[in-house]
Amino acid sequence: MSATKDGDSDTGAGRDGDEAAVSRFVERFAAEMTEAGMQRMASRVFASLLASDESALTSAELSERLQISPAAVSGAVRYLTQAGMVGREREPGSRRDRYRLHNDLWFETFTRRDQLLARWEKVLRDGVESLGPDSPAGLRIAETAAFMQFLDSELKGLMTRWHAHRETLDLGPRT
Amino acid sequence: MSATKDGDSDTGAGRDGDEAAVSRFVERFAAEMTEAGMQRMASRVFASLLASDESALTSAELSERLQISPAAVSGAVRYLTQAGMVGREREPGSRRDRYRLHNDLWFETFTRRDQLLARWEKVLRDGVESLGPDSPAGLRIAETAAFMQFLDSELKGLMTRWHAHRETLDLGPRT
DNA sequence: CGCTACTTTCACAAACTTGTGAAGTTAAGG
DNA sequence: CCTTAACTTCACAAGTTTGTGAAAGTAGCG
């Protein structure tokens, strides 16, 4: 069925795999991310980038693949760059931007996470004061704050172990 | 205004700490959770329970403290119970339900997390097929799937370490 | 130096979410 | 059994969010 031919494509056999199947994957994965709390368009853009061979696409490509307006791409990209999940590059002699997934994808994402944890911890520590440090509720909240702190401290080691573990997989060098 | 007196309160000095301060904490913490993606009312109910001495409140108490209708409480509680973050108890000879934070709060929450991870991993593995396991995109997605699997495996050890670490804190026995 | 290709911003319409009052359901207690 | 307290469901109003087309900004390239 369908679609594998694209006219000016040059790498031959299905440049990013079977288009329909890829699109299905993109939508499925995006749906999961959306359910986990990310904006819909941002999820879709992210998933598209993840599923692209270059791990980078231009605005126009995104617009076409996802069937959305340039404005929607713009909005999604703003969100993703602010969240530090995607970088923007200008191709030297051209007026196109390319949006690129950071290589160290999950590292970047988790790095931000600890700022979040720090904020939560702060709010919780203040809460202990409000409730009285010896009340049951105060103690429970102190425990929660301690948990956040613990998580924060664990994150570093976790990423180190991931990088080590990653080496043992034969996934080839980073793209 | 002060509000510390509440008429039928019996434990004396501010049953759950200074009411205004507690409410402020509840709202602040709930706001953080909301920003992180949880529904507003669910966040507020959760925060209220966290800040209550019993770690449990009745529907009426929630309704009053948060100034929301019973219907809103009902909706929030449904969400929280489905997410496994809150349990429902019926007080024996009474028609009131009490909603209770699970003791092992964070353990419960993280336990669910691995189901989420498993789902993501599944979607990703399917994606590898769609993209071709040898394409750059396929490899990247395989790496992502591997990361999810890695995270899942780490979670167990993490919670074990947390429980150990928790013992070293003088927070008294579990509530 | 102006043309043109690309991107962003803006105002608005559509769609979804959220919280409410009111009616409906269940079960304790007389 | 009947009453009544407590919870749930339902339909809807209010408020947000989301995505779009159109206009305005930027910057390559002739």
Side-chain angles (χ1 to χ4, degrees):
Chain A
M1 13 184 303
S2 62
T4 316
K5 42 161 64 171
D6 194 43
D8 59 347
S9 180
D10 51 2
T11 42
R15 122 184 139 288
D16 270 356
D18 173 31
E19 271 194 30
V22 171
S23 167
R24 222 160 31 238
F25 162 68
V26 166
E27 296 304 333
R28 271 226 283 159
F29 190 65
E32 295 285 346
M33 301 193 77
T34 300
E35 198 166 341
M38 192 148 91
Q39 298 177 2
R40 175 136 41 106
M41 285 296 142
S43 301
R44 296 179 73 208
V45 165
F46 184 88
S48 285
L49 290 172
L50 191 67
S52 71
D53 272 343
E54 302 294 319
S55 79
L57 294 169
T58 66
S59 182
E61 288 168 323
L62 286 166
S63 180
E64 190 219 315
R65 293 192 183 199
L66 298 173
Q67 302 280 24
I68 57 179
S69 71
V73 174
S74 177
V77 161
R78 176 168 26 172
Y79 177 94
L80 288 170
T81 49
Q82 279 198 344
M85 299 171 78
V86 159
R88 157 181 334 223
E89 309 172 345
R90 172 62 55 104
E91 342 195 304
S94 161
R95 39 200 100 157
R96 281 185 150 88
D97 280 352
R98 314 198 86 209
Y99 305 111
R100 153 156 277 127
L101 231 53
H102 281 120
N103 268 353
D104 228 329
L105 185 55
W106 302 108
F107 179 74
E108 289 287 339
T109 301
F110 272 83
T111 302
R112 312 276 156 170
R113 209 55 97 190
D114 59 17
Q115 293 176 16
L116 190 89
L117 285 174
R119 273 222 322 279
W120 284 42
E121 198 192 325
K122 170 97 173 51
V123 173
L124 287 163
R125 298 246 181 252
D126 291 351
V128 173
E129 294 309 310
S130 304
L131 284 152
D134 298 323
S135 68
L139 287 168
R140 188 179 323 112
I141 293 182
E143 179 183 339
T144 305
F147 183 72
M148 296 297 159
Q149 194 177 26
F150 171 77
L151 264 192
D152 190 36
S153 71
E154 285 279 318
L155 275 186
K156 279 119 192 158
L158 189 93
M159 288 316 294
T160 308
R161 287 195 293 284
W162 162 243
H163 282 123
H165 179 63
R166 191 189 172 290
E167 295 303 317
T168 72
L169 276 44
D170 62 338
L171 297 162
R174 300 236 191 79
T175 310
Chain B
M1 45 144 71
S2 29
T4 317
K5 44 163 63 179
D6 194 42
D8 60 346
S9 181
D10 50 2
T11 42
R15 123 183 138 289
D16 269 358
D18 172 34
E19 271 194 30
V22 171
S23 167
R24 221 159 34 238
F25 163 68
V26 166
E27 295 304 332
R28 270 226 284 160
F29 189 66
E32 294 286 345
M33 300 193 79
T34 301
E35 198 167 341
M38 191 149 89
Q39 299 177 0
R40 176 137 42 104
M41 285 295 141
S43 302
R44 297 180 72 208
V45 165
F46 184 87
S48 286
L49 290 172
L50 191 68
S52 70
D53 273 341
E54 302 293 319
S55 81
L57 293 170
T58 65
S59 182
E61 286 168 325
L62 286 166
S63 181
E64 190 219 314
R65 293 193 183 197
L66 298 173
Q67 301 280 23
I68 57 179
S69 72
V73 174
S74 178
V77 160
R78 176 170 27 177
Y79 176 94
L80 288 170
T81 49
Q82 279 198 344
M85 299 171 76
V86 159
R88 159 181 331 223
E89 309 171 347
R90 173 61 56 103
E91 341 197 304
S94 161
R95 40 198 101 157
R96 279 184 151 87
D97 280 353
R98 312 197 84 208
Y99 305 112
R100 150 158 280 125
L101 232 55
H102 281 121
N103 268 352
D104 228 328
L105 185 55
W106 301 108
F107 179 75
E108 288 288 337
T109 301
F110 272 82
T111 302
R112 311 278 157 171
R113 209 56 96 189
D114 60 17
Q115 294 178 16
L116 189 89
L117 285 174
R119 273 222 323 278
W120 283 42
E121 199 193 324
K122 171 95 172 53
V123 173
L124 287 162
R125 299 247 182 251
D126 291 352
V128 173
E129 293 310 308
S130 303
L131 284 152
D134 298 323
S135 67
L139 287 168
R140 187 177 325 113
I141 292 182
E143 178 184 339
T144 304
F147 183 72
M148 297 296 158
Q149 194 176 27
F150 170 78
L151 264 193
D152 191 35
S153 72
E154 285 279 319
L155 276 187
K156 279 118 190 158
L158 189 92
M159 288 315 293
T160 309
R161 287 195 293 285
W162 161 243
H163 281 124
H165 179 62
R166 192 189 171 291
E167 296 303 318
T168 72
L169 276 43
D170 62 340
L171 297 163
R174 299 236 191 76
T175 308

